[in-house]
Amino acid sequence: MTVRIVTRCPSDLSSWENAAKSMKCESIDNNCLHTIRSKGYHHFQYHCVINTWMNATLEVCAPNRIIFGYCTEYNVMGRVIQENYDANCTTHDPPCPAIYNSTDAYKYQTCYDLVRKNRQKKENMDKDSQKPDLISTSERLSGNLELIFLSMFQIILRILFCF
């Protein structure tokens, strides 16, 4: 199967058709599926879907599937198109249908919005971690230890010199 990370997925039928033509998924031969190919199902087709962690969009040639009410994902480890059970798109606005073909994932743009939100969240976290006013736990701990030692030193001085 051909898989590649893309910055965005098609948002309409025309751009989906252009991307599908570019990937040439139908030219990939799948010997395992010859018996059911004659029925028109499960041959390699173009998909643009989210990944399992919802932080990337992927173009992939894979057999199509019926998806039941969740965003369509490509599981890289399993090498399979499937539902992402952390992304129930029937609750999105607008919602996806309870049943749809995995190749129609481009119609449900709110699934791609999850990727954009996760990317933005990561960028914000990266920016925050680079701010100079943030102090690491070890820096805070060593600062606290210095205060403790200074306080103890002051107490010892007061005892020794009675002031």
Side-chain angles (χ1 to χ4, degrees):
M1 286 186 226
T2 305
V3 181
R4 65 180 171 210
I5 296 173
V6 293
T7 55
R8 66 177 351 132
C9 287
S11 57
D12 56 43
L13 180 59
S14 175
S15 58
W16 185 93
E17 287 173 341
N18 289 335
K21 190 181 290 187
S22 170
M23 286 283 284
K24 301 178 185 173
C25 295
E26 66 282 346
S27 67
I28 298 173
D29 192 29
N30 186 349
N31 294 330
C32 298
L33 300 176
H34 279 303
T35 57
I36 53 178
R37 183 177 283 181
S38 59
K39 295 179 184 175
Y41 298 106
H42 302 292
H43 53 282
F44 283 121
Q45 291 185 309
Y46 171 78
H47 292 80
C48 194
V49 296
I50 63 175
N51 68 347
T52 302
W53 301 279
M54 296 182 286
N55 62 2
T57 46
L58 308 172
E59 282 186 323
V60 60
C61 294
N64 66 319
R65 277 209 44 203
I66 298 299
I67 301 296
F68 296 97
Y70 292 88
C71 294
T72 303
E73 75 169 30
Y74 180 70
N75 183 303
V76 177
M77 298 299 286
R79 298 184 194 177
V80 65
I81 292 287
Q82 62 189 22
E83 292 91 346
N84 183 314
Y85 292 112
D86 290 325
N88 180 348
C89 57
T90 61
T91 62
H92 292 179
D93 185 23
C96 68
I99 299 172
Y100 67 93
N101 191 303
S102 60
T103 57
D104 290 338
Y106 74 91
K107 294 178 180 179
Y108 313 110
Q109 294 289 308
T110 56
C111 292
Y112 305 133
D113 291 341
L114 297 171
V115 171
R116 286 188 277 276
K117 287 175 188 171
N118 284 331
R119 282 183 187 157
Q120 186 63 47
K121 191 184 306 180
K122 183 184 180 320
E123 287 172 12
N124 289 341
M125 287 172 60
D126 289 346
K127 286 178 189 174
D128 285 347
S129 69
Q130 294 171 3
K131 288 184 180 178
D133 60 334
L134 292 179
I135 301 171
S136 71
T137 304
S138 61
E139 289 172 317
R140 265 186 256 128
L141 183 58
S142 68
N144 288 342
L145 287 175
E146 288 171 7
L147 285 174
I148 292 169
F149 285 122
L150 281 173
S151 297
M152 289 173 57
F153 184 66
Q154 283 180 339
I155 293 170
I156 293 169
L157 284 176
R158 286 183 183 176
I159 292 171
L160 289 174
F161 297 107
C162 299
F163 64 91

